[in-house]
């Protein structure tokens, strides 16, 4: 995944946490290179307040096909590990916190 530069596209709050219920939602990040666009999305949960985490680290959604050094497609577990490494390097938690503090979903439009 070297060379891909992911940027925040949108974050949605699906459940606004109240009382003892956590806030939950989804976030989407994109990388554009020429005419190609790669995306990675995942569900998140905020509990306790101020702590945001992946809802399920094995349930990342992407249009990327990850290959090993020999050009073979990675097994699902290997892909999940690589994608989790990618997510770990993104400032996604700060983006989610901004949306939660604003009290409304944040959607950014990307020029065509």
């Amino acid at each position: 995944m070297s060379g891909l530069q992911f940027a925040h596209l949108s974050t949605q709050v699906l459940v606004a946490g109240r009382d003892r219920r956590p806030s939950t939602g989804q976030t989407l990040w994109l990388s554009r290179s020429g005419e190609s666009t790669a995306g990675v999305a995942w569900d998140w949960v905020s509990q306790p307040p101020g702590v945001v985490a992946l809802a399920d680290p094995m349930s990342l959604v992407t249009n990327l096909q990850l290959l090993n050094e020999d050009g073979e497609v990675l097994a699902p577990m290997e892909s999940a590990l690589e994608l989790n490494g990618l997510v770990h390097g993104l400032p996604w938690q700060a983006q989610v916190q901004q949306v939660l503090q604003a009290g409304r979903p944040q959607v950014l439009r990307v020029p065509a």
Side-chain angles (χ1 to χ4, degrees):
M1 285 185 284
S2 64
L4 294 177
Q5 298 293 318
F6 283 86
H8 178 248
L9 179 65
S10 69
T11 291
Q12 296 180 322
V13 178
L14 302 176
V15 174
R18 288 181 176 66
D19 301 321
R20 295 178 186 246
R21 290 181 54 190
S23 295
T24 62
Q26 299 170 333
T27 191
L28 171 62
W29 290 68
L30 291 181
S31 177
R32 289 195 175 185
S33 176
E35 294 184 18
S36 299
T37 302
V40 181
W42 59 91
D43 294 336
W44 53 264
V45 60
S46 176
Q47 185 181 356
V51 176
V52 181
L54 291 168
D56 182 352
M58 297 303 290
S59 293
L60 301 168
V61 178
T62 186
N63 64 337
L64 290 170
Q65 185 173 54
L66 304 178
L67 307 175
N68 66 17
E69 293 175 0
D70 297 326
E72 299 166 335
V73 176
L74 292 182
M77 181 64 85
E78 294 171 311
S79 290
L81 289 171
E82 291 295 323
L83 290 170
N84 273 273
L86 168 74
V87 169
H88 180 73
L90 296 173
W92 70 272
Q93 292 154 314
Q95 292 290 338
V96 170
Q97 291 291 4
Q98 286 179 352
V99 171
L100 288 171
Q101 290 170 2
R104 64 187 190 325
Q106 177 183 357
V107 178
L108 302 177
R109 302 288 179 219
V110 175

